Amino acid sequence: MEIKRKRDSGKCYIFDIFRKKWVADTPEESVRQWFCNYLMENKGYPQLSISTETGLELNGVSRRCDTIVYKGVTPMVLIEFKSPDVTIDSSVMNQAISYNTKLKAPYIILTNSKTTYCVKFDFNTGTHQFLQEVPDFTTLLLTRLSP
């Protein structure tokens, strides 16, 4: 799928197919559009399973998750995007984990387009494992969820 861009009044915009609107073409937004297209084209994720800029309340404070992939209404993947010049480090992981305390998605993905980490969590055992690659959507459908 082609990523649409435009320039209007000296500002650059990128079309977010999930929010169905033009948004500022920031480096982080470019990473989001590139990666979500990758998920759809290479990993079989349906567009309707992907939600961007999803709000949630955490400790009484409104937060916004970059992207969540759902299986029906169940969050399966929490994705945190950073600009290519931002290092994916423990602070980025901690941010995603704090959001995931509410969502309980079994997967977290962190990416800046140069580096991508995918972590699978087992909430029953309290363990996690770094995966070699991002799972395809069929694998997500087969993932057992914590009770």
Side-chain angles (χ1 to χ4, degrees), residues 15 18 20 31 51 63 81 90-91 106 110-111 126 132:
F15 190 75
F18 308 100
K20 296 180 178 30
V31 172
S51 176
R63 300 285 184 202
F81 299 105
S90 61
S91 68
L110 312 171
T111 189
Q132 293 291 337

Side-chain angles (χ1 to χ4, degrees), residues 117-133:
Y117 294 105
C118 182
V119 184
K120 182 178 182 189
F121 292 86
D122 184 328
F123 296 107
N124 291 321
T125 63
T127 60
H128 66 277
Q129 126 186 48
F130 283 83
L131 303 179
Q132 293 291 337
E133 65 180 71

